[in-house]
Amino acid sequence: MKIRYFDHAATTAVREDVLKEMIPYFSVEYGNPSSIYTMGRKSRRAVEQAREKVANAINANTKEIYFTSCGSESDNLAIKGVAYANKKKGTHIITSKIEHPAVLNTCKKLEQQGFEVTYIGVDEKGKIKLNELVSAIKNSTILISIMFANNEIGTIQPIKEIGQIAKEHNIIFHTDAVQAVGNVKIDVQKMNIDLLSMSGHKFYGPKGIGALYVKKGIDFERIQDGGHQERNKRAGTENVAEIVGLGKAIEISCKQFDEYNNKLNMLRQYYIKKVQENINEIRINGDIENRLPGNCNISFKGIDGETLLLELDAIGICASTGSACTSGSSAPSHVLVELGIPQDYIQGSLRITFGQENTIEDVDFLVEKLIEIINKLRKNSQ
Ligand code: PLP
């Protein structure tokens, strides 16, 4: 059976040229980057070259990039690191209600430790309410953490404006850009970003590797104790092969940015048009204009999303009802709940996220099968 993969927000396949570049660092160039002999220095050079590629991709300086084990760790390090280092200045943090659990649960943990967190709402498109953000600011606010783009509905936030608000109030601004890197052009300087999290496996790099950008001068504490790696901010021997993979993947994604984005936009628009023409009682979730190019989240009235996913899986189609991290639970997604989607639509949402290997023929197949399955499920429930 041919597998058709439409879940690129969950993860992506490692590109062949990325893998090729990583392989020597597993068993040939396996020196520890902290070792001072030639083998160690070769690994160190590979790590530093990757750091440069990451920095170039977001217009940062190499000294502002720290490698971590994943996007979740980057979020933890950013939020806890800033909170702990700045708690004498204040203990109030602002985030949004539609963040990924990597941010929401980090904030909840900080609340248990005596920090105060305000969770601001979004409009019906999933966009942060800027007036709510401004009203939430207090003298004790030390950090604003707002995601760049949402993993479930694809809405891109007005990051530059949020960064400007933070700057005007002398508050540190972190953004979880795990879904944005590779899909949106990012310039941390122009966008007023102080800290930014990313994860290799969302842009055709390996899983289990992340990076955190921290603007020079921003005070943050390490959260993992141990050795002096990553300029004393993140202990643990560097995962050289994966760091090399992340560097290569981000370099390629920058080179192919326009071509890739145009393709994803075209596939998404084609998919939406075909669904609108052939299936009634649907809702397109998220912002139609300011959204990730490959993301399309549609709710089908009266459908159980999990049943739909299983039916699609049986014919080789991989998709999602929401975040991969929360799938397996049948409770409606916290993001869709925040958008105020009516009860009879909310359970029937399907997130399709297109990627480089998808074709028009794949979309035709997907829509043809969706029509069949949705008609069947709706008939059965009458
Ligand atoms: N933040 C967002 C917006 C995500 O979509 C994800 C993963 O899906 C993460 C953070 C966590 O990234 P990782 O899987 O690398 O820990």
Side-chain angles (χ1 to χ4, degrees):
M1 182 170 61
K2 181 176 173 187
I3 299 296
R4 290 177 172 86
Y5 187 79
F6 300 107
D7 203 14
H8 295 81
T11 197
T12 57
V14 176
R15 286 184 205 272
E16 267 182 35
D17 28 9
V18 168
L19 186 61
K20 211 169 126 202
E21 207 137 308
M22 290 169 63
I23 282 175
Y25 295 96
F26 285 107
S27 55
V28 182
E29 301 294 353
Y30 57 86
N32 186 320
S34 298
S35 302
I36 58 165
Y37 43 79
T38 309
M39 247 179 101
R41 289 206 307 274
K42 276 193 182 168
S43 293
R44 166 63 52 212
R45 202 171 314 128
V47 168
E48 296 316 317
Q49 279 168 356
R51 202 186 304 280
E52 204 172 320
K53 288 172 186 169
V54 173
N56 287 345
I58 57 171
N59 194 23
N61 190 288
T62 49
K63 290 204 175 79
E64 298 173 317
I65 306 297
Y66 300 84
F67 289 113
T68 65
S69 66
C70 57
S72 302
E73 190 193 331
S74 296
D75 286 338
N76 271 264
L77 180 56
I79 298 168
K80 289 179 183 158
V82 166
Y84 298 155
N86 293 278
K87 62 173 183 271
K88 282 199 184 119
K89 290 183 199 149
T91 53
H92 180 235
I93 295 166
I94 301 173
T95 188
S96 84
K97 291 182 181 168
I98 62 158
E99 298 294 313
H100 187 273
V103 168
L104 286 179
N105 290 334
T106 301
C107 288
K108 285 194 186 124
K109 180 53 78 60
L110 287 174
E111 282 182 288
Q112 290 163 12
Q113 297 170 2
F115 287 87
E116 183 196 353
V117 183
T118 304
Y119 300 86
I120 58 168
V122 293
D123 65 16
E124 69 292 345
K125 294 175 178 170
K127 205 174 133 198
I128 296 298
K129 292 176 179 159
L130 290 179
N131 54 352
E132 217 178 289
L133 171 69
V134 174
S135 319
I137 294 174
K138 305 178 183 196
N139 287 339
S140 58
T141 310
I142 49 170
L143 175 68
I144 294 174
S145 179
I146 302 288
M147 69 200 317
F148 205 118
N150 185 270
N151 44 305
E152 295 192 37
I153 52 168
T155 300
I156 297 173
Q157 299 300 339
I159 289 299
K160 193 175 172 188
E161 285 86 338
I162 298 171
Q164 186 60 35
I165 292 169
K167 201 172 171 180
E168 279 162 13
H169 291 83
N170 206 15
I171 298 168
I172 298 170
F173 174 44
H174 164 249
T175 185
D176 172 348
V178 167
Q179 293 291 339
V181 173
N183 288 308
V184 185
K185 279 190 179 145
I186 300 178
D187 182 323
V188 288
Q189 295 185 37
K190 283 200 185 126
M191 294 176 161
N192 307 308
I193 298 169
D194 295 318
L195 297 97
L196 176 145
S197 306
M198 68 173 80
S199 178
H201 72 112
K202 307 291 185 180
F203 47 90
Y204 308 96
K207 295 171 189 55
I209 186 73
L212 177 67
Y213 153 78
V214 186
K215 187 178 167 181
K216 188 173 176 243
I218 297 289
D219 205 7
F220 76 109
E221 251 181 42
R222 58 193 275 160
I223 57 169
Q224 176 158 299
D225 294 315
H228 55 270
Q229 291 89 354
E230 296 299 283
R231 300 182 304 289
N232 252 330
K233 290 297 193 187
R234 197 273 178 181
T237 301
E238 298 86 342
N239 189 343
V240 181
E242 298 229 350
I243 288 173
V244 167
L246 184 143
K248 183 72 180 172
I250 206 165
E251 183 184 51
I252 298 174
S253 88
C254 288
K255 278 189 191 141
Q256 300 182 349
F257 187 88
D258 289 334
E259 192 191 328
Y260 179 65
N261 271 256
N262 290 343
K263 178 180 172 170
L264 298 199
N265 263 318
M266 181 274 290
L267 289 173
R268 176 171 52 90
Q269 276 160 19
Y270 182 72
Y271 167 68
I272 292 177
K273 189 166 163 280
K274 288 210 76 170
V275 170
Q276 281 173 328
E277 282 168 2
N278 290 288
I279 306 177
N280 58 16
E281 297 186 293
I282 62 159
R283 278 177 70 109
I284 300 171
N285 302 318
D287 195 320
I288 289 293
E289 276 140 36
N290 294 317
R291 70 181 302 126
L292 294 172
N295 175 300
C296 189
N297 188 315
I298 298 183
S299 291
F300 299 94
K301 188 178 179 187
I303 296 293
D304 175 57
E306 276 197 15
T307 312
L308 176 58
L309 272 196
L310 293 176
E311 294 266 354
L312 291 170
D313 181 41
I315 49 171
I317 294 176
C318 307
S320 168
T321 48
S323 152
C325 314
T326 52
S327 68
S329 128
S330 55
S333 122
H334 69 289
V335 177
L336 299 180
V337 169
E338 268 314 303
L339 297 191
I341 294 171
Q343 208 50 44
D344 44 355
Y345 279 91
I346 201 162
Q347 292 286 4
S349 68
L350 181 71
R351 180 187 73 177
I352 294 292
T353 44
F354 296 106
Q356 62 179 5
E357 72 278 14
N358 293 141
T359 62
I360 285 282
E361 180 273 325
D362 287 337
V363 181
D364 285 336
F365 183 84
L366 168 67
V367 177
E368 184 193 316
K369 295 301 165 193
L370 270 179
I371 298 168
E372 281 173 29
I373 296 167
I374 285 170
N375 281 342
K376 184 179 83 179
L377 294 179
R378 281 181 175 165
K379 216 163 162 192
N380 289 350
S381 67
Q382 273 169 7

